[in-house]
Amino acid sequence: MTIDRPADVVHRFLAQPESWPRWAVVNILAVEPTAETEWWDPSTPDGPAQFRIRADAATGIVDHDFRFDDELATVPARVAANGRGADFVVTIVQPSDVTDGGFRALLESVDTELATLKALFESDHTV
């Protein structure tokens, strides 16, 4: 997703778990910190989970991990300057236990969230 804002601004926003309910509107409805400093408790449509963001501003990394019971899912993501703004790239891998239809629905939710992120940045310059 190309966003018409500087890459460092986009990265800083994405590196803060508290900002995720503002744009990840399908999968993260709210977040609360946990006793484990790097993990957060999100309110999700799929029930209890935890997530953390492993961000590095120098490289643009915004990888995030989701923990469901004993399973850990990692989502690699990057913010890169593109000369006029930033590109936010997310890699979604289909889990072996998710049907093709379920994966298509997941990708549609990600598309919704990325469009929300773009609209948020491009309409509200206080972000």
Side-chain angles (χ1 to χ4, degrees), residues 24-52:
V25 295
V26 177
N27 294 300
I28 297 183
L29 309 175
V31 295
E32 296 290 332
T34 68
E36 295 178 76
T37 57
E38 66 182 5
W39 288 95
W40 290 72
D41 283 331
S43 173
T44 76
D46 298 321
Q50 290 187 317
F51 91 112
R52 69 178 171 190

Side-chain angles (χ1 to χ4, degrees), residues 54-67:
R54 293 178 290 115
D56 179 65
T59 59
I61 292 171
V62 195
D63 292 354
H64 40 289
D65 301 315
F66 290 91
R67 198 162 55 182

Side-chain angles (χ1 to χ4, degrees), residues 53-119:
I53 300 168
R54 293 178 290 115
D56 179 65
T59 59
I61 292 171
V62 195
D63 292 354
H64 40 289
D65 301 315
F66 290 91
R67 198 162 55 182
F68 302 93
D69 298 318
D70 293 333
E71 294 184 40
L72 181 69
T74 297
V75 180
R78 304 290 182 274
V79 176
N82 67 13
R84 66 173 211 266
D87 289 329
F88 179 44
V89 180
V90 179
T91 302
I92 308 290
V93 177
Q94 182 174 352
S96 60
D97 62 341
V98 174
T99 66
D100 289 346
F103 189 62
R104 278 191 298 277
L106 173 64
L107 293 179
E108 287 174 10
S109 74
V110 171
D111 285 346
T112 297
E113 292 177 341
L114 293 175
T116 301
L117 179 67
K118 180 179 178 67

